[in-house]
Amino acid sequence: MSTGNYPSAGQPEPGTGNHAGVPPAPARTPSPVDSTADSALTRPDEHRPAGTGTPAPQPSSAADQPRVTRAGVVWAAVVAALVLLILLIIFILQNQDQVAVRYFGLEGLVPLGMALFIASVTGGVLVAMAGGARILQLRRNAHRARLRQRK
């Protein structure tokens, strides 16, 4: 299962030229044309016609597009989490009516927004525990499979 633009385990990073069946670009030796002032601004894989100091126009490709980085994804996730947190705070502040809550013989009055927040966090913790147990199970199975392959 893929998670966005990241390669799956064991796959090369995009843009490295090490994809299966695609050889890396050969290294180019500098020519007298490369000694011009704009040679530092061009990519080594660009082809320039002989005798001109300007690079040949290249068609736009996926390599020219900005890459999605993990830092960028983390930044976007933090911003989204902050927006959700602000909305949650507003929800709790707008639902301050006291409600009676009973749980295994315990009884008390709690603001409605806080009771719903506690219920949702408890549900999230239970889901995280089940997911963590499954991840540990898969890792253990993968580790056992690696040990069997080495024998």
Side-chain angles (χ1 to χ4, degrees):
M1 175 161 82
S2 176
T3 55
N5 294 335
Y6 300 116
S8 56
Q11 296 296 321
E13 287 286 332
T16 59
N18 294 332
H19 300 284
V22 179
R28 218 181 86 192
T29 57
S31 68
V33 174
D34 288 336
S35 64
T36 60
D38 67 334
S39 65
L41 302 176
T42 60
R43 295 188 317 230
D45 60 343
E46 282 185 341
H47 172 70
R48 285 189 271 173
T52 64
T54 59
Q58 294 289 321
S60 179
S61 66
D64 294 338
Q65 300 297 323
R67 286 185 21 166
V68 176
T69 63
R70 292 182 184 174
V73 170
V74 169
W75 182 84
V78 167
V79 169
L82 286 175
V83 168
L84 287 175
L85 184 61
I86 290 169
L87 293 173
L88 180 64
I89 291 170
I90 292 169
F91 174 80
I92 291 173
L93 291 176
Q94 288 182 345
N95 291 284
Q96 289 295 313
D97 300 333
Q98 296 288 319
V99 294
V101 176
R102 292 176 203 87
Y103 187 72
F104 290 122
L106 299 173
E107 185 175 338
L109 292 175
V110 181
L112 175 63
M114 189 55 65
L116 291 172
F117 175 70
I118 291 169
S120 65
V121 167
T122 303
V125 167
L126 291 174
V127 168
M129 287 172 50
R134 180 66 178 149
I135 289 171
L136 290 175
Q137 182 185 33
L138 291 172
R139 285 185 179 179
R140 187 172 48 246
N141 289 344
H143 179 70
R144 288 177 183 161
R146 280 193 302 270
L147 289 177
R148 274 187 260 128
Q149 282 181 349
R150 290 180 186 167
K151 290 181 181 182

